[in-house]
């Protein structure tokens, strides 16, 4: 299985995502200005501050040539994971519902949080242990999820901040959502920073494992 | 006076541009004219040193063909004017120093000093905005801010200190120097457009050059652009990776003037530089404005002519502006051209080496230079009340409200985050790890500059020992008042002597640093504040030590020589004592031995926790171990003189460690046991860990004004 | 032509910056302030002002959570239309 | 009274946001754009508009690096003075 990580000018967690993905499969960088997906099985839009996050987080990056490829890949059912800034980019691109707004505190917050997994069937969470919260860090200034009044079914909410853990004021404690077809997923917490107990936790690995398992099943089928 | 000297070395009157260049290069900031002689006292050699002082950052070997480059630098004056941008550009500047030597920045630490937050709204504002600025730059560029320190004292009310340290990693082969090489080679400017940023800062120029009405055109506040620097950083590292550069230098204070003069001077060569080719952000800039502009996010490099197209290609890919602005010459002159016209022509040696050096005239003060602080404690408190007052005091309270605003994990190396251990720990590719600590206690240095400065070195080394790391090298930033004043000169001379002796005693070389003088208000100088940043290595990241008590039933031991006293302590401060008196005398050999004992035990995986006893003394150290681990402790030793024994300080020499009793016995004196949910010191105090935590958590939080803008 | 685009959070969207300003002003001794909203202003020279609405929808604002307003002003130098709109321009230093 | 305060980076002060937008627009097919500056807009009800300049200097802008402009408008409901200034107000949903 091969992951592709989209690298924009200003991406910061691109290498981290690459290293995390390499724990479960192969992974390559995809340069924002290119238009070749290199035959990857899943795409990760990583965290950071693409284009400095100037104007609005994710607003400029969504127009990169590579993002057009990613949009098409998603329309064809390919798995796309957006982490933090990647989540913002996917919302701006209309691949995910909603928007990310400044934290209620108006401050950057870097903190380990507990997340409740809301679905055991999604391609992104199927390997998560049932009923156990995940310990994964968040780090962002613009992470308050705004859920649109229409166009977000409860089943699209894959992750919520555990009670009392919401770090940014997100609607209904939402930490991660998928699109209607379930193949595009965005979350503010950083699973790629939770893949090794030595650096804090390995709970995020389950997200990468889920993707790998889903792709493997699809290949068999 | 200095003008006469310029006449002598030049043999003629300088023109306005040349005078501007001289006045910048001969400023304290660039020439170190009051400190250079003194700095020679610092030991700079050691088996691991790869780059010593003189380069943009020092570097030491960390094994496996890797080098770690690091430096600490001040941005005090700009931050006092505009704390957000001042602190942000301080981080931007120190990052450039590190990637200027070819290292990828992997960690930032910050050392901050402000006035008393309870008394001063301005100090709360400076704290809020400086922290936001540091976070803004470091978070956006994707370099983890893994540690730092903050002290509050009224002596910093008018002069806050913002020191930032950066540490980077490079394969040995990628390290590069800044010396210009090879006449005929091309001088290339990389990065941001040049605007009128920071020109007002060169105050010497104000009278000579600026008409009244022009003031507005010359913004002195520099705005940091981490996005541009991120691209510049990636671009420079790729250029080095592809072996396309001959030399590399960042643009910092005094912009092109300083960068070009330094490059030429180090290479013993000359440079021709055409200001007409420098890409400008604003129309109509004069040559001198281009030469002194302090616009951020720019680098200067030397490239062989045949490789210029390759350099341009890499820059294009990263969307980094890249302009040929001159050439290396062999005539030893820095010639400034504006197209075909020569607008300045100076001998490099005169500019860089012939700045007059001044001898300090130190004189020890007879009475303390600093007034007594307003007392917070009267003296009638119980030990428990004293402990809680200390834990909740601004200097000891939890730094969580600050460090949560920093991304401490980007890079996937952070093994010990803030609050988890005494030093930050970053994993290296081969399974070993780096440990970093930054420290400096101005109150103690004010009491006794020589001993206080030595303590800063000891404490950094002790912090490293707590995670199991052996020191490899250190960097320092000397923040002092006006060196032309004899008492300040004395502080400076004594502090450098103390640093030098401590470094010699521990065998740690100084590989770089920075000096910030004239931190003075009409009410007097800041506390003398040498800040030490130390880097060490531990063989096995998975055995990095941590601070919190963990196992019910573990023994607690006191390791190392411990002779606490109240002089210069936090308790003395809370009781309203001026920073004066003799600090405890530490025997360097015993300190070194204690550090080795703890370090070896941590490396062997023999301890559950390790923590050095610093500000607040033994009781505060124990409380911190309890809070970090969420478990209580009970001492079983008799306390006779509780004020001194529990709250006296002797930083950098003694430790509180926990582990199995049979392991601890040979290391030190077993004084108690881990367990329960209270901290019990028989005959003195008994406080619930939850209460310790609550008080410690709220100490700084209560002064955190709320943010108004989201950056 | 110089134009100005104003972007603000839509009604109903929580605006913590507006709230923070509203809290901070009384603390500084400025009473009698309410309903503060904080948005963004983008000023630009455009050759073809007809394309401004499209720029706003595609880049300058996020229509899901923001609304925008285009203020056109001919041939103005910055500060755009200050007088025309009865504005004050000030550059004093903070205490 | 409802008022609007516009804050922008002073002339000569680096505006990284403006630069980023300026570079992004052509790539999206919007040519002919120059001199982009990005600032802030604050809208508020004030009882005493005379105090607005002081509010601007102390909180709403940072006079070291920003300049402000006060646009007053009586009794307006949001969007303030849209018509008066020849503005368009749009709230369309993104396709
Ligand atoms: N306190 C100090 N201890 C050791 N070296 C120092 C100290 N202060 C400055 N230096 C060294 O002097 C050189 C010049 O410093 P500086 O002007 O701050 O460099 P830069 O222009 O790269 O910021 C550097 O190599 C620096 O490491
Ligand atoms: Mg330098």
């Amino acid at each position: 299985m091969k992951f592709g990580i989209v690298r924009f000018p200003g991406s910061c967690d691109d290498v981290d995502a690459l290293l995390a993905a390499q724990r479960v499969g192969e992974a390559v960088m995809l340069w924002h200005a290119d238009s070749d997906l290199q035959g990857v099985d899943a795409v990760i839009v990583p965290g950071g501050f693409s284009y400095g996050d100037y104007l609005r987080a994710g607003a400029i990056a969504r127009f990169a040539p590579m993002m057009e490829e990613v949009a098409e890949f998603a329309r064809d059912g390919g798995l796309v994971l957006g982490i933090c800034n990647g989540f913002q980019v996917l919302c701006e691109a209309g691949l995910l519902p909603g928007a990310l707004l400044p934290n209620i505190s108006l401050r950057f917050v870097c903190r380990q949080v507990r997340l409740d997994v809301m679905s055991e069937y999604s391609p992104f969470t199927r390997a998560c242990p049932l009923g156990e919260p995940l310990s994964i860090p968040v780090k962002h200034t613009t992470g308050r999820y705004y859920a649109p009044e229409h166009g977000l079914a409860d089943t699209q909410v894959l992750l919520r901040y555990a009670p009392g853990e919401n770090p940014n004021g997100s609607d209904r404690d939402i930490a991660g959502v998928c699109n209607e077809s379930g193949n595009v997923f965005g979350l503010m917490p950083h699973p790629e920073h939770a893949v090794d107990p030595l650096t804090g936790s390995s709970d995020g690995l389950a997200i990468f494992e889920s993707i790998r398992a889903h792709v493997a099943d699809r290949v068999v089928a | 006076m200095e003008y006469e000297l310029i006449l002598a070395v030049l043999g003629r009157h300088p023109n306005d541009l040349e005078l501007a260049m001289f006045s910048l290069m001969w400023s304290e900031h660039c020439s170190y004219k009051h400190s250079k002689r003194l700095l020679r006292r610092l030991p700079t050699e050691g088996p691991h040193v790869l780059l010593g002082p003189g380069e943009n950052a020092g570097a030491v070997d960390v094994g496996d063909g890797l080098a770690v480059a690091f430096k600490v630098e001040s941005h005090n004056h700009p931050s006092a004017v505009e704390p957000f941008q001042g602190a942000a550009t301080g981080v931007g500047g120190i990052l450039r120093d590190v990637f200027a030597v070819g290292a990828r920045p992997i960690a930032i630490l910050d050392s901050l000093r402000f006035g008393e937050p309870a008394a001063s709204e301005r100090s709360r504002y400076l704290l809020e905005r400086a922290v936001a600025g540091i976070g803004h730059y470091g978070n956006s560029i994707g370099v983890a801010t893994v540690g730092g320190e903050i002290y509050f004292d009224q002596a910093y009310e008018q002069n806050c200190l913002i020191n930032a340290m950066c540490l980077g990693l490079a394969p040995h082969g990628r390290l590069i120097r800044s010396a210009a090489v090879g006449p005929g080679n091309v001088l290339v400017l990389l990065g941001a457009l040049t605007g009128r940023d920071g020109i007002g800062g060169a105050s010497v120029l104000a009278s000579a050059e600026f008409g009244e009405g022009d003031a507005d055109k010359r913004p002195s506040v520099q705005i940091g652009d981490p996005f541009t620097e991120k691209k510049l950083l990636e671009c420079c590292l790729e250029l080095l990776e592809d072996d396309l550069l001959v030399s590399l230098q960042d643009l910092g204070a005094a912009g092109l003037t300083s960068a070009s003069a330094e490059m030429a001077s180090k290479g013993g060569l000359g440079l021709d530089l055409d200001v007409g080719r420098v890409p400008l952000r604003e129309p109509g800039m004069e040559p001198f404005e281009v030469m002194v502009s302090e616009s951020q996010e720019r680098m200067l490099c030397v490239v062989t002519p045949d490789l210029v197209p390759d350099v341009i290609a890499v820059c294009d890919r990263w969307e980094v502006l890249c302009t040929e602005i001159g050439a290396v010459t062999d005539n030893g002159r820095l010639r400034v051209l504006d197209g075909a016209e020569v607008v300045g022509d100076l001998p490099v040696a005169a500019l860089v080496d012939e700045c007059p050096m001044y001898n300090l005239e130190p004189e020890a003060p007879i009475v303390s230079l600093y007034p007594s602080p307003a007392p917070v404690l009267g003296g009638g408190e119980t030990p428990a009340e004293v402990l809680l007052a200390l834990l909740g005091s601004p200097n000891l309270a939890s730094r969580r409200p600050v460090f949560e605003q920093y991304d401490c994990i980007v890079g996937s190396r952070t093994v010990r985050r803030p609050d988890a251990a005494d030093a930050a720990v970053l994993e290296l590719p081969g399974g070993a790890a780096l440990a970093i600590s930054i420290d400096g206690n101005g109150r103690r240095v004010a009491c006794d500059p020589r001993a206080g400065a030595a303590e800063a070195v000891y404490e950094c080394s002790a912090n490293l020992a707590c995670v199991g790391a052996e020191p490899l090298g250190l960097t320092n930033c000397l923040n002092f008042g006006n060196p032309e004043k004899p008492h300040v000169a004395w502080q400076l001379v004594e502090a450098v002597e103390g640093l030098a002796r401590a470094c010699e005693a521990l065998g740690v070389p100084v590989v770089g640093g920075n000096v910030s003088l004239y931190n003075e208000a009409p009410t007097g100088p800041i506390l003398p504040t040498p800040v030490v940043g130390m880097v060490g290595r531990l063989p096995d990241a998975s055995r990095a030590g941590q601070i919190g008590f963990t196992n019910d039933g573990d023994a607690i031991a006191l390791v190392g020589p411990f002779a606490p006293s109240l002089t210069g302590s936090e308790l003395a401060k809370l009781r309203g004592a001026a920073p004066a008196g003799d600090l405890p005398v530490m025997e360097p050999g015993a300190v070194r031995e204690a550090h080795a004992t703890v370090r070896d035990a941590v490396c062997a995986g023999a301890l559950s926790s390790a923590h050095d006893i610093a500000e607040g003394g033994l009781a505060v150290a124990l409380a911190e171990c309890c809070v970090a681990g969420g478990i209580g402790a009970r001492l079983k030793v008799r306390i006779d003189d509780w004020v001194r024994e529990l709250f006296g300080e002797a930083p950098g020499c003694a430790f509180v460690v926990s582990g199995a009793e049979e392991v601890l016995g040979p290391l030190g004196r077993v004084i108690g046991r881990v367990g329960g949910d209270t901290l019990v010191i028989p005959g003195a105090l008994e406080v619930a860990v939850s209460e310790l935590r609550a008080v410690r958590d709220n100490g700084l939080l209560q002064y955190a004004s709320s943010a108004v803008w989201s950056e | 032509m110089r134009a100005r685009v104003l972007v603000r959070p839509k009604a109903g969207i929580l605006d913590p910056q507006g709230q923070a300003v509203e809290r901070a002003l009384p603390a500084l001794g400025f009473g009698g302030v309410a309903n503060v909203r904080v948005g963004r202003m983008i000023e630009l020279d455009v050759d073809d002002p007809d394309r401004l609405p499209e720029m706003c929808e595609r880049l300058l604002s996020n229509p899901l959570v923001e609304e925008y307003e285009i203020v056109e002003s001919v041939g103005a130098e910055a500060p755009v239309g200050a007088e025309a709109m009865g504005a004050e321009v000030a550059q004093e230093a903070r205490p």
Side-chain angles (χ1 to χ4, degrees), chain B residues 32 39 42 53-56 71 73 97 476 478 510 512-515:
Chain B
Y32 289 82
L39 294 179
L42 298 173
E55 288 301 327
N56 286 305
K71 187 176 174 196
E73 200 162 72
D97 268 327
N476 69 100
L478 302 172
V510 177
N514 181 243
V515 178

Side-chain angles (χ1 to χ4, degrees), chain B residues 127-207:
Chain B
L127 170 69
E128 163 79 28
R129 297 304 293 161
V131 167
I134 291 165
H136 168 67
Y137 212 102
N139 299 339
S140 307
I141 201 169
V143 179
T145 302
V146 297
E149 49 153 17
I150 309 177
Y151 286 92
F152 301 91
D153 194 285
Q154 68 190 37
Y156 302 110
E157 174 70 28
Q158 309 276 332
N159 288 272
C160 62
L161 302 184
I162 308 291
N163 291 185
M165 174 173 171
C166 176
L167 173 137
L169 212 53
H172 286 192
R174 201 170 69 200
L175 289 179
I176 185 169
R177 295 175 186 264
S178 55
V181 200
N185 282 342
V186 182
L187 189 65
V188 176
L189 178 64
L190 304 175
L193 296 169
T194 298
R196 290 192 169 94
D197 310 282
I199 294 181
S203 56
V204 205
L205 295 172
S207 49

Side-chain angles (χ1 to χ4, degrees), chain B residues 336-491:
Chain B
V336 182
L337 312 166
D338 187 1
E341 187 190 348
V342 177
V343 293
D345 185 354
L346 298 172
V348 171
L351 210 48
V352 179
D353 305 324
E354 278 163 45
C355 170
M357 288 294 136
Y358 296 94
N359 281 323
L360 299 173
E361 287 164 18
E363 190 188 306
I366 296 158
V367 293
S368 171
L369 301 183
Y370 306 94
S372 305
V376 175
L377 297 179
E381 294 79 9
T382 64
E385 285 163 348
V386 171
L387 175 59
L388 291 171
L390 280 168
L391 278 180
S393 71
N395 284 348
L396 292 177
S398 168
R399 269 59 188 132
R400 181 169 301 277
V402 170
F403 68 70
E404 276 197 344
Q405 296 184 55
Y406 303 146
D407 178 349
C408 62
I409 55 181
V410 65
S412 299
R413 303 181 180 83
T414 312
V415 173
R416 289 291 174 267
R417 303 180 190 184
D419 251 9
D422 283 299
V425 177
L426 302 171
E427 193 184 5
L428 286 166
L434 293 172
I436 317 124
S437 162
I438 189 164
D439 203 82
N441 182 331
R443 283 184 64 76
R444 299 186 70 85
V445 183
C447 293
D448 179 343
R450 186 180 296 200
E455 282 182 1
V457 177
Y458 294 152
E459 184 164 348
C460 277
S461 169
N463 289 338
L464 297 196
C466 289
V467 297
E470 179 149 25
L472 295 170
L474 70 76
T475 178
N476 69 100
C477 189
L478 302 172
N479 303 275
F480 286 78
N482 178 353
E484 296 159 43
K485 295 189 177 167
H487 295 336
V488 173
W490 174 79
Q491 292 176 330

